[in-house]
Amino acid sequence: MGSTSWMPVAAPAWSAPACATGHVVWSASICRLQCSSGAKSKNVYDELHQDDLVSFMLARPQAYDVVTGAASLIHFGDLGPAFTAAGSALRAGGAFVFTVFPSERNGDFSVASLEGFAKGGCFLHGRDYIAATASASGFGIETIDSAVHEYKNDSPVAGLVVVLRKP
Ligand SMILES: C[S@@+](CC[C@H](N)C(=O)[O-])C[C@H]1O[C@@H](n2cnc3c(N)ncnc32)[C@H](O)[C@@H]1O
C-alpha cells in the first residue's frame, strides 16, 4: 500500500461535535485522482492534503478537536505511531474515531488472508491490543464496538468502531 493519500480537512456536516473547530478526516481512494476530484466536487472540505497520515499529524500539534479515519488504519499493523501522532494532533478533550477489522488474536494484530477483496492483505486488530496501545499512547477508551464495516457481495464484513479520547 502506498504511503500517501488524499486527506480532506474540514468540519463536515456529519459527526462534528459543537465544540469542534478543527477536524481531520482520513479519507482516500485507491485511485488518488478519483478521490481528489470526488472530494473536491463535494465542496465541503476546507483543505485537501496528500501526505502520510503519521507525519501529517505530527507536524500539526494540538491542531484538531476530532480526527477520524474510516478504513485507513486497516493498512497499519502496529497502531502505536498513528496513535502517538493522533494524540499529538488533538487538543485536550479531542476524539480519535476510526475503524479497523477485528482479529481473533485479541492481544495482537495480524494480517488477513488474501482471500476476498474486503480484507485481503489488510491488518486485523484485537480489542485488547487496541486498548493497550491506546492506553500506552495516553488515550482514554470510550468505545470499541462491533459493527458492519462494509458489504462484500451483499454480505456484511465485520469491523470495529473505536472512539478514543485525549484527556
Ligand atoms: C480502504 S481505503 C479507505 C478510504 C476511505 N476512508 C473510505 O472509506 O472510502 C484506505 C486508504 O488509506 C490510505 N492510506 C494507507 N496508508 C496511509 C498512510 N500511511 N497515510 C495516509 N493514508 C494512508 C490509502 O491510500 C487508502 O486509500
Side-chain angles (χ1 to χ4, degrees), residues 1-7 26-30 51-54 69-76:
M1 177 55 60
S3 63
T4 58
S5 68
W6 287 98
M7 300 174 295
W26 299 109
S27 179
S29 165
I30 288 166
D51 203 345
D52 167 65
L53 64 85
V54 172
S72 299
L73 298 184
I74 61 174
H75 298 291
F76 286 65

Side-chain angles (χ1 to χ4, degrees), residues 36-47:
S36 109
S37 60
K40 280 177 194 158
S41 70
K42 289 182 180 171
N43 207 26
V44 295
Y45 299 111
D46 297 325
E47 300 169 26

